[in-house]
Amino acid sequence: MNFSRDCPIYRCRSLTFDLAIAVATLAGAGLIDPAAARGVVHLGELGLDGRLRPVRGVLPAVAAAVAAGHHRVVVPAANAPEARLVPGAVVVGAHSLAQVAHAYGADIDVPDVVPVPSDHLEVARAAPDADLADVLGQDEARTALEVAAAGGHHLLMVGPPGSGKTMLAARLPGLLPDLTEAEAVEVTAVHSVAGTFDPGGGLLRRPPFEDPHHTATPASIVGGGSGVPRPGAASRAHRGVLFMDEAPEFSTAVLQTLRQPLEHGELVIHRASGVARFPARFQLVLAANPCPCGRGVGKGLECTCRSEQRRRYFSKLSGPLLDRVDLQVDVLPVSRAALDPGSVAETSSVVAARVAAARVAQAVRLAGTPWRTNAEVPGAWMRARLGPDRRLVGDLDRALDRGLLSLRGVDRVLRVAWTLADLAGRPGPRRSDIGQALLLRTRGQGLT
């Protein structure tokens, strides 16, 4: 069977076609019945001893085969559980080429062989099972987290060590709705190609969570490596959350490579042998200290950093990168009042219910469009729905005139304003929503 260069099977360069070539050779030599093998997709690596070795990327390959109308698939036995997750696939697992040839009519004995086990998997880590009720205080940051979950917005949190930035970020996946069936197949396919998927648990139904260390290389974040490119943390976070703690400590090369997926939702990796495209539509959460020593909050009296050190530290987060982050908030130290036993914080389930209702409102409004959340909607479409009354966006006009916002920043404030309206159950944003969105975008700097 032939596949075009646009087919996911063709693009999955980690997938070997040894079994398919061997079956075609045997059929051409008349050793097996060609009619029996016709229309069957064969996937797998063939060892020198005739055993079939498992390969990565079986799930997307089988899904592409079924979509092309070929439902019968033969794979290595170790890949069979993963292949059977594809709806409509009729999967046969085989241990050796002799077993496949015998099934197609070859007059040979099938030897008993020791099955080739699956490679050791670095199974994708599930999102942290943590509740938002564990976070004390931080009302503004909690609001920003809820807005981020409701509209699919990127988030930057700036605050001293111990203020709860990591705790907040770890609780964002718990506020997001389950993946749809199509999204689950899409996310699972990425992890299958990456070699981080265990088929024993079925399709991945919850948004993934990736939190690479700040010493990570560009290849580990965006994908690549020697030989066949593999998805990096950004693609493994597809339809989920990519959390970068101590963001200014990441190398400039890593931070700048994020601009492409933030804008287009995919990563393109060029190699001499071809081009690999991996989906990467994730929610980016950045956490940063206000300065290298971390004590430059409030009046900064305890800060030991020189002014040029502070500028150099935060300048790692470039303007073009921050311009793509919708929500930017300060996370201040928790006050003693937050420790009052009588204060009760909302749980993740309560907030997740409001997020789900906001997502439903967006789905209704965006029905018939290619967009799913407010974070994906172009500015022109939103401005057209606001109407001609400029008084509604007066605060944005002034911020633009003063240079506090770029044109892209204006559109992103409008996206957040729509999300605030969805959370409140209103059909559209009010001026107060736009004002609050502006505060959530600029950390309140320069607005007084």
Side-chain angles (χ1 to χ4, degrees), residues 85 123-124 179-181 183-185 187-189 191-192 196-198 201-208 236:
L85 293 176
V123 179
L179 301 175
T180 65
E181 189 71 21
E183 290 172 343
V185 173
V187 170
T188 305
H191 287 268
S192 174
T196 59
F197 171 59
D198 181 5
L203 295 176
L204 300 177
R205 302 286 181 178
R206 291 295 301 154
R236 296 196 303 271

Side-chain angles (χ1 to χ4, degrees), residues 17 53 68 107 138 178 211 230 247 259 261 298 304 316 322 328 335 342 352 398 418 444 447:
F17 296 96
R53 305 182 63 84
D107 187 15
Q138 303 300 4
D178 289 339
D211 56 344
R230 297 179 66 173
R259 289 163 59 178
T304 59
K316 295 283 290 291
L322 290 182
Q328 303 177 24
S335 66
R398 284 187 290 273
W418 275 103
L447 296 180

Side-chain angles (χ1 to χ4, degrees), residues 204-262:
L204 300 177
R205 302 286 181 178
R206 291 295 301 154
F209 180 81
E210 293 285 334
D211 56 344
H213 193 261
H214 63 260
T215 58
T217 63
S220 68
I221 299 296
V222 302
S226 60
V228 177
R230 297 179 66 173
S235 290
R236 296 196 303 271
H238 181 58
R239 303 294 182 188
V241 177
L242 176 64
F243 174 47
M244 304 183 74
D245 200 5
E246 306 291 347
E249 300 293 345
F250 282 82
S251 70
T252 302
V254 168
L255 294 172
Q256 294 307 312
T257 54
L258 294 175
R259 289 163 59 178
Q260 182 193 52
L262 290 180

Side-chain angles (χ1 to χ4, degrees), residues 47-111:
L48 295 177
D49 57 0
R51 292 187 299 172
L52 296 181
R53 305 182 63 84
V55 293
R56 290 186 288 116
V58 163
L59 187 141
V62 174
V66 171
H70 301 276
H71 297 263
R72 298 165 59 204
V73 183
V74 177
V75 299
N79 287 136
E82 180 179 340
R84 292 191 178 103
L85 293 176
V86 179
V90 180
V91 178
V92 174
H95 294 290
S96 65
L97 176 61
Q99 184 179 354
V100 176
H102 180 75
Y104 290 149
D107 187 15
I108 58 173
D109 294 327
V110 179

Side-chain angles (χ1 to χ4, degrees), residues 109-400:
D109 294 327
V110 179
D112 292 330
V113 297
V114 178
V116 179
S118 298
D119 295 336
H120 174 70
L121 294 175
E122 181 186 349
V123 179
R125 185 164 57 88
D129 185 15
D131 199 288
L132 194 58
D134 300 332
V135 180
L136 300 177
Q138 303 300 4
D139 292 339
E140 183 180 357
R142 290 169 63 96
T143 298
L145 199 70
E146 180 177 343
V147 173
H153 305 286
H154 306 305
L155 172 65
L156 165 67
M157 295 181 287
V158 180
S163 57
K165 303 185 297 296
T166 302
M167 287 185 66
L168 287 162
R171 282 147 181 80
L172 177 57
L175 306 182
L176 300 176
D178 289 339
L179 301 175
T180 65
E181 189 71 21
E183 290 172 343
V185 173
E186 194 177 38
V187 170
T188 305
V190 172
H191 287 268
S192 174
V193 174
T196 59
F197 171 59
D198 181 5
L203 295 176
L204 300 177
R205 302 286 181 178
R206 291 295 301 154
F209 180 81
E210 293 285 334
D211 56 344
H213 193 261
H214 63 260
T215 58
T217 63
S220 68
I221 299 296
V222 302
S226 60
V228 177
R230 297 179 66 173
S235 290
R236 296 196 303 271
H238 181 58
R239 303 294 182 188
V241 177
L242 176 64
F243 174 47
M244 304 183 74
D245 200 5
E246 306 291 347
E249 300 293 345
F250 282 82
S251 70
T252 302
V254 168
L255 294 172
Q256 294 307 312
T257 54
L258 294 175
R259 289 163 59 178
Q260 182 193 52
L262 290 180
E263 197 70 25
H264 304 292
E266 70 172 2
L267 281 160
V268 183
I269 302 174
H270 293 266
R271 290 291 184 269
S273 58
V275 178
R277 292 180 180 271
F278 298 125
R281 190 169 296 282
F282 53 82
Q283 280 188 252
L284 177 65
V285 178
L286 302 172
N289 294 327
C291 62
C293 76
R295 296 193 291 270
V297 295
K299 295 182 179 180
L301 298 179
E302 298 182 1
C303 179
T304 59
C305 303
R306 298 189 302 272
S307 58
E308 67 271 15
Q309 287 178 312
R310 299 181 67 168
R311 288 195 300 269
R312 190 183 310 116
Y313 174 78
F314 219 82
S315 65
K316 295 283 290 291
L317 303 178
S318 66
L321 175 63
L322 290 182
D323 210 28
R324 292 169 167 83
V325 179
D326 298 354
L327 302 167
Q328 303 177 24
V329 297
D330 287 321
V331 183
L332 300 178
V334 179
S335 66
R336 189 172 59 181
L339 301 177
D340 183 1
S343 60
V344 179
E346 287 186 317
T347 63
S348 291
S349 60
V350 172
V351 178
R354 291 199 298 267
V355 168
R359 289 287 184 107
V360 170
Q362 292 167 59
V364 173
R365 183 171 62 252
L366 300 177
T369 72
W371 315 302
R372 305 171 60 88
T373 61
N374 289 330
E376 304 172 30
V377 180
W381 192 88
M382 291 183 296
R383 289 192 296 270
R385 292 183 67 90
L386 287 178
D389 188 358
R390 299 301 301 175
R391 290 177 296 179
L392 184 63
V393 294
D395 293 335
L396 289 183
D397 290 341
R398 284 187 290 273
L400 183 62

